Amino acid sequence: MTTEILARIQFAFTVGFHYIYPPLSIGLGVILVMMEGMYLKTKNPLYEKMTKFWVKIFALTFALGVATGIVMEFEFGTNWATYSRYVGDVFGSALAAEGIFAFFLESGFLAILVFGWNKVSPRTHFISTIMVSLGSMLSAVWIVVANSWQQTPAGFHIVGQGLEARAEITDFWAMVFNPSSVDRLLHVLSGSWLAGSFLVISVSAYYIIRKRHLDFAEYSLKIALLLAGFASLFQLFTGHQSAVGISKTQPAKLAAFEAHFDSLAPAPIYLFGWVNEEQQQVKFGVAIPGMLSYLIYGNTQKPVTGLNAFSPETRPPVNIVFQTYHFMVAIGVLLIIISWLGIFLWWRGKLFRHKWLLYVFIFSVLGPQIANQLGWMSAEIGRQPWIVYGLLKTSEALSKAVTTGQIWFSLILFTIIYILLFVLFIYLLNEKIQHGPEEADEIQSEYEHQKLVLEKNKTF
Amino acid sequence: MEFTFDLNTIWFILIGILLAGYAILDGFDLGVGSLQLLVKDDLERRILINSIGPVWDGNEVWLVTGGGALFAAFPHVYATVFSGFYTAFMILLFALIFRAVAIEFRSKQNSKIWRQSWDAAFCFASILIAFLMGVALGNIVQGIPLGPDKEFTGTFWTLISPYTVLVGITTVALFMMHGSIYLAMKTEGELQAKVSSWINNTIIFFVICYVTTTMSTLIYFPHMVEHFKSTPILFLVAILNMLAIANIPREIHHKRNWHAFLSSSASILALLTLFAIGLFPNIVLSNPNPEYSLTIYNAASSQKTLMIMLIIAIIGIPLVLAYTISIYRIFRGKVKIDTHSY
């Protein structure tokens, strides 16, 4: 295999594995704020029990997010040195801002969130929870800004010629608010809220079916369902906004989403299908004629730019983009149905009566995870052959000093380590779930607990 | 080279400060990691691990931010060093992953084998990280082969020389000393007596390494002392460094562990300052062709980016200091194990 393919596989694998965890942290962070906020408001110890349990799960996902995230920070330099030289002036500031504004906030207050229960007042603890949640979302802001700049570069100019050429910043805010940043950020955030809320829904449904920790599980599930109901609809809205944006900024990607080849024709939307790229046809497809034209222009007859408008070497691979995109949309729709069915039954007072729905809830945790991965695949593969859209090709962005053998070595090691990490993660997650929340008689109110700890410390 | 206090110089200093912050903060927790196998009892080990429990990941953020700042301010250095040191850097990344996971996982199970394996992984990873960072610094002093296109032209084995290995071992020794002093602050009773007894040994270990490294730098890499010859006042930094190191045993003797820790931090800062002065205005020396060296000018981003980054730093650094200080204040004092501990 060539260095390029190997380097791409390595980046895709490491970033894909990393992306299991940050969305969980972002989503759980919001749920923790909701739970602890309810605790402070109602003083109901059940909410405290919930917060403490989910903090433990949060800490686990956070640790894996940090461990796999450090790799990402440096992989641009190790595998994509030419890219780093080309974009460092623009892209680097977003990464540095992420470090200074988000990571310090997150990791600092995480210490209080996890270890500070007996060290600070409940109020300060709640503020720390908010800060951690805010920090995790801020890191999404900066990393999505950096990635969006690769999709729709803005606020820069090219200096130098040939090998010396590089992008230099001309307008920082134009770079930050490049044409796709906001749409994509909101899409990423609501995808993360879905990841967190469906994890809570899944674990809670499991407890309910097993008739364990019933109060705890029912309350947790309801809180998560509220977030899921909002986020699943919001996801549809932000997805639509993104697609309209892409029709203007990256028409080749949008055309690949729907395998639309002929620029002069109104474009349909496929429910499913299999793209034959040679014949430029969608096989076994079911389409709604003119629907893509309608969604973008509000007119079913208006032509949409097709793939044939681009020279063959600047088109993305079509079928994989088509499939990943369609599966993502299908899962998104399913999540809307599941969460709103749940909310409807909750309103009718029958939420926990349907066993089949609880089983669906248990497996629903996979939905946002798979959709998040697929969404990123269609976004990133749909940008090919460009690493920075219209400016720099992926094949030209590699490290010149790195050999195929070196990438094989690191790729094999990453694979072994990440498989090990994933097995351990699932194992520990399962342990925590089986152990369940600490029972009420084990933890008194936080005030009592503090007194107890103080007493104990005095006797030493 | 004329010294001008421009944006490039400011960023050279700021990245130095980020790395010094990393070395001082993660230095002690790498040191604790390297030493924790010396106690056998599980509760004692947990106390050592929990002494860094709430702060280790915040400490690591200094490295991540340093990397981001290097990318933004000196993209050529970021690209050349990380692609050039590829294999060494991958090993460093694996060690960082293992360390993060080991501390998170070790107390999740009661099994003895489980805990001992993770503890061993934690110790090994901590030593390896410190060692590799030292090797990287050694290579920067020694210089690495660069081409006219700023690309590294050597191999993994180019990076390993007696000198770079020596700097690696010195770094391990430095962090062990720093970590043992930190532990003396965070423990009490019998365990404190135990960790205090490590301090003297680690100081001796460090001083031997330090003197050897200094001698070989002076003999083999005289370019590192040119600025000290032309501007003798800079020699004060070297004197301050010696005083800081000499002050550590004195403070320990008087049972002022906090002052000893400050002294040890000051000596890390002074060491990195000496290193930075020797290097300036180069960031990566090219050896054998010094004309290809990466300097704060030919490797930097545009003035506009450096200015934007400076504004980000001016807003961000006070926030970072505020979080860091308040976290250390909240978790000050001796370690107590409770249900939320590792």
Side-chain angles (χ1 to χ4, degrees), chain A residues 139-288:
Chain A
S139 70
V141 170
W142 290 105
I143 205 68
V144 172
V145 161
N147 182 274
S148 296
W149 185 83
Q150 285 179 269
Q151 312 280 353
T152 52
F156 71 101
H157 62 164
I158 300 294
V159 176
Q161 296 275 316
L163 289 174
E164 292 286 299
R166 67 171 186 175
E168 281 189 3
I169 212 161
T170 53
D171 181 345
F172 179 73
W173 294 110
M175 183 278 283
V176 171
F177 292 102
N178 66 69
S180 62
S181 294
V182 175
D183 289 339
R184 300 177 80 243
L185 172 66
L186 296 177
H187 201 56
V188 160
L189 283 180
S190 52
S192 305
W193 297 333
L194 287 171
S197 51
F198 275 98
L199 177 69
V200 176
I201 288 174
S202 165
V203 175
S204 307
Y206 170 80
Y207 284 150
I208 294 169
I209 283 191
R210 287 292 167 92
K211 301 206 167 32
R212 284 160 56 185
H213 320 296
L214 277 179
D215 282 353
F216 166 89
E218 289 179 6
Y219 273 64
S220 297
L221 199 151
K222 283 177 181 169
I223 284 188
L225 205 51
L226 286 178
L227 182 62
F230 165 74
S232 60
L233 283 183
F234 192 57
Q235 192 65 318
L236 184 71
F237 168 74
T238 57
H240 171 70
Q241 290 293 106
S242 266
V244 173
I246 290 170
S247 74
K248 300 188 193 95
T249 55
Q250 293 177 289
K253 188 194 278 185
L254 183 80
F257 281 169
E258 290 296 345
H260 181 58
F261 289 93
D262 183 1
S263 289
L264 298 174
I269 271 185
Y270 285 93
L271 297 179
F272 53 85
W274 189 264
V275 186
N276 184 322
E277 292 179 42
E278 300 277 296
Q279 298 172 9
Q280 304 206 338
Q281 276 178 348
V282 179
K283 308 270 184 189
F284 322 111
V286 170
I288 310 173

Side-chain angles (χ1 to χ4, degrees), chain A residues 10 52 56 59-60 62-63 67 70-71 73-74 76-79 81 84-85 88-89 91-93 95-97 99-101 103-105 107-112 114-120 166 168-170 172 399-402 406-407 409-410 413-414 417-418 420-421 424 427-428 431-432 457, chain B residues 50 53-54 57-58 60-65 67-69 71-72 75-76 78-80 82-84 86-87 89-91 93-94 96-98 100-101 104-105 108-109 114 118 149-152 300-302 304-305 308-309 312-313 315-317 319-320 323 327 330-332 336 338-342:
Chain A
Q10 176 157 322
K52 285 195 169 171
K56 289 193 170 176
L60 181 64
F62 191 89
I70 293 177
V71 175
E73 175 88 9
F74 296 108
F76 302 108
T78 54
N79 289 29
S84 302
R85 295 179 204 281
D89 199 276
F91 189 88
S93 20
L95 279 195
I100 284 201
F101 293 132
F103 292 155
F104 275 113
L105 183 71
S107 63
F109 285 100
L110 180 78
I112 304 179
V114 178
F115 301 102
W117 290 102
N118 308 325
K119 300 255 179 195
V120 297
R166 67 171 186 175
E168 281 189 3
I169 212 161
T170 53
F172 179 73
S399 294
K400 297 198 177 81
V402 177
Q406 285 177 307
I407 306 185
F409 158 78
S410 55
L413 270 175
F414 271 126
I417 292 179
Y418 280 10
L420 180 71
L421 284 192
L424 283 169
Y427 173 72
L428 286 176
E431 287 282 303
K432 281 183 196 288
N457 290 346
Chain B
N50 279 287
D57 60 344
E60 224 155 71
V61 171
W62 288 79
L63 177 69
V64 173
T65 305
F71 192 177
H76 287 295
Y78 174 84
T80 301
F82 293 149
S83 65
Y86 190 89
T87 303
F89 207 76
M90 286 297 160
I91 298 172
L93 286 177
F94 297 135
L96 283 169
I97 294 176
F98 258 102
V101 179
E104 191 60 35
F105 285 0
K108 299 289 191 297
Q109 291 290 318
W114 172 277
W118 284 120
D149 54 355
K150 303 189 171 85
E151 297 286 355
F152 177 69
S301 283
S302 62
K304 174 123 186 156
T305 289
I308 291 168
M309 291 283 300
I312 291 179
I315 301 170
I317 287 174
L319 292 173
V320 169
Y323 310 145
I327 297 306
I330 288 171
F331 291 97
R332 72 186 180 278
K336 304 272 183 251
D338 65 23
T339 50
H340 307 291
S341 301
Y342 278 123

Side-chain angles (χ1 to χ4, degrees), chain A residues 446-457:
Chain A
E446 209 39 58
Y447 176 70
E448 293 291 319
H449 199 139
Q450 286 192 26
K451 268 206 315 203
L452 208 77
V453 171
L454 287 176
E455 289 296 315
K456 240 185 1 204
N457 290 346

